[in-house]
Amino acid sequence: MNATQLATTANGKAVEELDVLVVGAGFAGLYQLDHLRKLGYNVKVFEAGSDIGGVWYWNCYPGARVDTYGPLYQFSSEELWRDWNYSELYPSWEELRAYFSHVDKKLGLSRDIRFNTRVTGAEFDTDRDQWVVQASDGSVTRAKFFVLCTGLAAKPYIPSIAGLKDFPSGRARTSALGFRFVG
Ligand SMILES: Cc1cc2nc3c(=O)[nH]c(=O)nc-3n(C[C@H](O)[C@H](O)[C@H](O)COP(=O)(O)OP(=O)(O)OC[C@H]3O[C@@H](n4cnc5c(N)ncnc54)[C@H](O)[C@@H]3O)c2cc1C
C-alpha cells in the first residue's frame, strides 16, 4: 500500500494537512512548536501522554528530580524565566510539572497539541513531497515536515521479573524507563 492509499483509507476520517507535525511534548517538542508557530508555520504536536512535560509527565516516582541546577534546566527566553523561580536548586518532578504549566500559560501551547495520540507509522509520499503519518486514534495527517522530538527515554521497557504482574496496580504509572510506581 502506498502513502496516498493510506491517507484515503483511515476510518473514513478527513486527512488533516499541516506544514509541520512534531511528535512529543517535552522540552524539545514544545520549543519547536513555539518557534515554528512564530515563524508562521501551521504546526501541531502529537503526544502519547495526556499532558505536556515529556519525561516529567511520565516520571513521577517518589524522589524523581533533576540533577542539573534549576536555573539551567529551563527555557532561556526572557518571557519564561522573568517570573519563574524553582524553590529548590535541584527541582522535583512536581515543580517541573508546575514549570510546564507556567510555560503553557505563557505561550498557549496546548491548543496545538493533540494528547493521548501515539504516532504509529509514517511514510514519505514522493508524489506530493509530504509525510503521511498514522496515529493511534486512526487518524492520518499529511505534513511537509515531520519533526521527531521523542526523547531518549520514552520507550517503555518492562523487565522480566518474577511476580511483576502481582505488583499493586491501583494508581500505578509506568515511567519512561518502564518502572511502575503507585501514586
Ligand atoms: C528522571 C529523569 C531525570 C532527568 N534529569 C535530567 C537532568 O537533571 N538534566 C538533564 O539535562 N536531563 C535530565 N533528564 C533527561 C531528559 O530526558 C531531558 O532533560 C529532557 O527532558 C528531554 O526532553 P525531550 O523533549 O527531548 O524528550 P522527552 O521529555 O522524553 O519527551 C518525549 C515525548 O515524546 C513522546 N513520544 C514518544 N514517542 C511518541 C510517539 N510515537 N507518539 C507520540 N508521542 C511520543 C513521549 O510520550 C514524551 O512525552 C532526565 C530524565 C529523567 C527520566
Side-chain angles (χ1 to χ4, degrees), residues 23-29 46-49 53-56 58-59 61 64-68 73 117-120 149-154 176-177:
V23 188
F27 272 110
F46 285 6
E47 166 56 53
V55 294
W56 301 107
W58 295 108
N59 286 273
Y61 55 88
R65 66 181 56 245
V66 294
D67 52 17
T68 298
Y73 200 73
T117 306
R118 181 172 286 281
V119 168
T120 53
C149 298
T150 50
L152 52 83
L177 297 175

Side-chain angles (χ1 to χ4, degrees), residues 22-31 45-61 63-69 72-73 75 90-91 93 96 100 114 116-121 134-136 146 148-156 175-177:
V22 176
V23 188
F27 272 110
L30 298 177
Y31 176 82
V45 176
F46 285 6
E47 166 56 53
S50 61
D51 206 345
I52 63 172
V55 294
W56 301 107
Y57 165 80
W58 295 108
N59 286 273
C60 53
Y61 55 88
R65 66 181 56 245
V66 294
D67 52 17
T68 298
Y69 292 134
L72 296 179
Y73 200 73
F75 291 111
Y90 300 97
W93 65 268
L96 260 299
F100 280 107
R114 204 192 293 170
N116 303 307
T117 306
R118 181 172 286 281
V119 168
T120 53
Q134 302 110 54
S136 54
F146 182 46
L148 296 173
C149 298
T150 50
L152 52 83
K155 189 172 178 188
S175 80
L177 297 175

Side-chain angles (χ1 to χ4, degrees), residues 29-169:
L30 298 177
Y31 176 82
Q32 291 296 328
L33 172 59
D34 181 50
H35 187 64
L36 293 170
R37 267 193 337 200
K38 284 175 176 157
L39 290 176
Y41 289 101
N42 175 19
V43 45
K44 286 234 165 77
V45 176
F46 285 6
E47 166 56 53
S50 61
D51 206 345
I52 63 172
V55 294
W56 301 107
Y57 165 80
W58 295 108
N59 286 273
C60 53
Y61 55 88
R65 66 181 56 245
V66 294
D67 52 17
T68 298
Y69 292 134
L72 296 179
Y73 200 73
Q74 57 184 284
F75 291 111
S76 56
S77 75
E78 181 169 355
E79 70 177 312
L80 296 176
W81 60 252
R82 172 66 59 196
D83 54 356
W84 179 262
N85 282 306
Y86 290 114
S87 67
E88 296 178 290
L89 194 52
Y90 300 97
S92 66
W93 65 268
E94 289 100 328
E95 267 208 286
L96 260 299
R97 285 202 177 180
Y99 174 69
F100 280 107
S101 291
H102 160 75
V103 170
D104 197 12
K105 212 174 283 177
K106 284 273 178 185
L107 303 179
L109 300 172
S110 284
R111 70 171 186 269
D112 285 318
I113 302 175
R114 204 192 293 170
F115 294 108
N116 303 307
T117 306
R118 181 172 286 281
V119 168
T120 53
E123 292 179 16
F124 192 70
D125 177 351
T126 50
D127 293 337
R128 291 173 58 184
D129 278 350
Q130 281 180 325
W131 285 94
V132 182
V133 180
Q134 302 110 54
S136 54
D137 58 2
S139 65
V140 172
T141 307
R142 286 180 163 271
K144 177 94 179 147
F145 302 104
F146 182 46
V147 181
L148 296 173
C149 298
T150 50
L152 52 83
K155 189 172 178 188
Y157 168 68
I158 311 293
S160 173
I161 298 173
L164 194 68
K165 69 175 172 7
D166 303 322
F167 193 76
S169 60

